[in-house]
Amino acid sequence: MLALSGVFQVKSEGPKLVPFFKSTCVYFVLWLPTSTPSWFSALIKCLPIFCLWLFMLAHGFSFLGAHSSARKVLAGLIFSCLGDAFLIWQEQGYFSHGLLMFAITHILYSSAFGMKPLNHRAGLVIFVVSAFSYALLYPYLLGPFTYLVGVYIALIGFMGWRAVAGLQLTNDLWTWTKMSACLGAVLFIVSDLTIAVNKFCFPVPYSRAIIMATYYAAQMLIALSAVECQDAETARKRS
């Protein structure tokens, strides 16, 4: 019953996500060159995230006002959009600015996911993955990026832990909300790790396609988890 209700909740959100899917298709169809950054390319890149703002707002200001986790996810999407814009001009010296915007995003998402349950086993797994990632990148990092990347990995790792920790497959607490948050966080880590390896270590084949596909999917799932949370809570109250 729980899984079936989750399917209905996902389907009910589908129409609100149509602008996001269309704008994502526009990005991949146009596939504007990154070698010539412009405000138009920044707009096309940010448009899917802007559509996720609208997706969150479509649930009403009363919904956002009543649920701090949804407000934090919306704020994270806003900072993500700023980060996307900065990364358009990363070769002109704005990579660290984008890094800062996404660091704030991960802090907001971590807060939205909450600290319960702790799930130390998930934390240990994420810690090992984060440590391995930093060990892989460290020989290639120079100057301030030596510690900036380390701090960023710690923040995104913490965000991943809080998302994964909430997913409990062995009891009745399992929900599509938690699954969406977990998958979104994992895809976000994959996207950012691909960025780091491609930028600092060696060229990754089809890196841009991998980065953007996993990134857009991650943001959609995290946004979906925030609004589904309200749907689940409402259903429980009515029952």
Side-chain angles (χ1 to χ4, degrees):
M1 285 295 292
L2 186 58
L4 185 59
S5 65
V7 171
F8 286 132
Q9 289 164 15
V10 171
K11 286 183 177 180
S12 70
E13 301 298 342
K16 301 186 188 76
L17 285 169
V18 169
F20 166 79
F21 288 122
K22 287 184 176 181
S23 59
T24 300
C25 289
V26 168
Y27 174 84
F28 283 104
V29 169
L30 291 180
W31 203 244
L32 299 173
T34 56
S35 56
T36 54
S38 66
W39 285 107
F40 180 69
S41 59
L43 173 64
I44 295 301
K45 184 181 181 183
C46 294
L47 194 56
I49 306 304
F50 178 70
C51 288
L52 290 178
W53 298 4
L54 299 179
F55 170 71
M56 298 289 291
L57 292 171
H59 291 80
F61 289 102
S62 58
F63 158 70
L64 293 172
H67 297 274
S68 62
S69 60
R71 293 196 302 273
K72 291 168 184 174
V73 169
L74 177 58
L77 289 170
I78 292 172
F79 278 100
S80 293
C81 209
L82 293 173
D84 284 332
F86 278 125
L87 290 182
I88 287 289
W89 287 277
Q90 60 179 290
E91 298 303 328
Q92 286 71 36
Y94 288 96
F95 182 79
S96 58
H97 298 71
L99 205 65
L100 175 61
M101 295 299 103
F102 280 108
I104 296 172
T105 294
H106 297 316
I107 292 172
L108 288 164
Y109 285 169
S110 299
S111 180
F113 296 147
M115 288 301 297
K116 293 180 181 180
L118 282 177
N119 196 337
H120 296 94
R121 184 178 300 177
L124 179 60
V125 172
I126 295 294
F127 174 79
V128 170
V129 172
S130 299
F132 175 79
S133 300
Y134 187 61
L136 172 68
L137 296 169
Y138 183 79
Y140 301 92
L141 301 175
L142 300 173
F145 285 114
T146 303
Y147 59 85
L148 288 177
V149 171
V151 171
Y152 185 84
I153 288 176
L155 289 174
I156 194 173
F158 186 82
M159 184 274 292
W161 171 38
R162 296 321 312 143
V164 174
L167 182 62
Q168 302 179 64
L169 297 175
T170 57
N171 55 41
D172 292 337
L173 296 177
W174 183 91
T175 65
W176 282 99
T177 300
K178 303 300 183 183
M179 177 65 79
S180 295
C182 178
L183 290 177
V186 170
L187 288 174
F188 216 135
I189 291 172
V190 171
S191 178
D192 280 5
L193 183 58
T194 306
I195 291 175
V197 171
N198 188 70
K199 182 175 181 64
F200 297 112
C201 301
F202 50 81
V204 176
Y206 309 106
S207 59
R208 185 180 172 192
I210 295 170
I211 290 165
M212 297 311 300
T214 52
Y215 170 69
Y216 285 142
Q219 294 282 38
M220 180 199 70
L221 287 167
I222 290 173
L224 187 60
S225 75
V227 299
E228 273 201 88
C229 181
Q230 169 62 7
D231 291 340
E233 289 177 5
T234 301
R236 283 198 297 270
K237 289 177 181 178
R238 288 177 178 174
S239 61

